[in-house]
Amino acid sequence: MCNTQVGSRVPAYATGSGKIMLAGQSLEYIDQYCQWMAEGARPLTANTITDPDQLRQALVLARTRGFAVDDGEIEEGLTCVAAPIYDMNQRVAAAVSISGPTYRMEEDWEMMIREVCKTAANISRLLGHR
């Protein structure tokens, strides 16, 4: 069961969308965020990344792959994949993601990644990204 509600807030370090948006930020911004994390990050599940160095690694991986993953970090048994949406200035403006029960996401993992990335690219084009 997914307990996420419209308008609810969760920390960026615990979400696929948050991580892919963080990955698009400057190294200075990421450093500041990681400094805050060192003092303020709280786990939501046993899988939540709260260590700044682990987050940095996840952001490098997200930047390299073009998508980020939340593997039960908000809610156990819930997996999310997210891709960045770029604006006409080549900046990450938003993200698109899909979440579902881990067992169902794993069944079609490659297709989920492909479709989320394709959707993000289409929206980016509509926003003027080249």
Side-chain angles (χ1 to χ4, degrees):
M1 177 178 201
C2 179
N3 292 318
T4 304
Q5 297 179 351
V6 173
S8 64
R9 293 181 179 210
V10 292
Y13 62 81
T15 70
S17 293
K19 283 189 255 184
I20 199 65
M21 291 182 71
L22 284 170
Q25 301 302 311
S26 69
L27 292 178
E28 180 183 14
Y29 183 92
I30 292 169
D31 285 343
Q32 291 173 352
Y33 189 86
C34 286
Q35 286 175 355
W36 168 82
M37 261 188 88
E39 299 171 14
R42 302 285 180 261
L44 303 174
T45 71
N47 291 343
T48 306
I49 295 173
T50 57
D51 177 77
D53 291 332
Q54 284 183 309
L55 179 67
R56 287 178 199 276
Q57 290 173 1
L59 298 182
V60 168
L61 186 59
R63 207 174 300 119
T64 302
R65 296 190 303 192
F67 66 90
V69 175
D70 156 13
D71 187 16
E73 295 171 54
I74 295 175
E75 189 175 322
E76 290 182 30
L78 187 69
T79 298
C80 170
V81 61
I85 295 173
Y86 294 94
D87 65 16
M88 71 174 109
N89 298 314
Q90 319 314 318
R91 289 182 290 214
V92 176
V96 64
S97 69
I98 186 167
S99 299
T102 300
Y103 72 92
R104 289 181 63 200
M105 294 292 287
E106 289 173 347
E107 289 175 3
D108 294 314
W109 187 240
E110 295 301 320
M111 185 267 300
M112 298 287 184
I113 293 168
R114 184 176 57 253
E115 293 301 317
V116 164
C117 290
K118 185 168 74 173
T119 300
N122 287 338
I123 296 169
S124 295
R125 271 191 295 283
L126 291 171
L127 293 177
H129 176 69
R130 302 278 175 238

